[in-house]
Amino acid sequence: TTNNNGKNRVLVNQQALIDKILSRYSSAHAMYCEIFQNSNDANASLAKIYFATIEGSTVTKAVCRNNGQAFEAKDWSLL
């Protein structure tokens, strides 16, 4: 579709993209190693993963943050 600025919008099935990315990893722990590697690739000097839990141990959400270079439009094509 095209927006008012004449630029093309890209619609992404986010759940399918997440499933595709996660299927590449043999274990849940490998995914976190990849996240830290991505932070390093972005020249981050700080990377953190925050976990939200219920009942003390069930992870309901993971939020990853770093202070590296922001993800750019061209980076999406590498996924």
Side-chain angles (χ1 to χ4, degrees):
T1 62
T2 304
N3 66 16
N4 293 338
N5 298 329
K7 295 183 179 181
N8 292 330
R9 273 185 26 189
V10 176
L11 301 177
V12 176
N13 180 332
Q14 293 178 351
Q15 186 61 51
L17 180 58
I18 290 168
D19 290 345
K20 176 183 173 185
I21 292 168
L22 292 179
S23 71
R24 297 179 186 170
Y25 301 100
S26 59
S27 72
H29 298 54
M31 179 181 62
Y32 297 114
C33 292
E34 179 69 18
I35 289 168
F36 284 122
Q37 180 62 50
N38 290 347
S39 296
N40 186 56
D41 292 344
N43 297 314
S45 62
L46 177 68
K48 294 182 180 183
I49 301 176
Y50 300 91
F51 296 97
T53 61
I54 57 171
E55 299 177 14
S57 62
T58 302
V59 176
T60 59
K61 182 179 181 180
V63 176
C64 308
R65 302 214 186 259
N66 70 57
N67 64 350
Q69 296 171 326
F71 208 69
E72 297 178 357
K74 66 181 173 65
D75 297 321
W76 287 105
S77 65
L78 301 175
L79 297 175

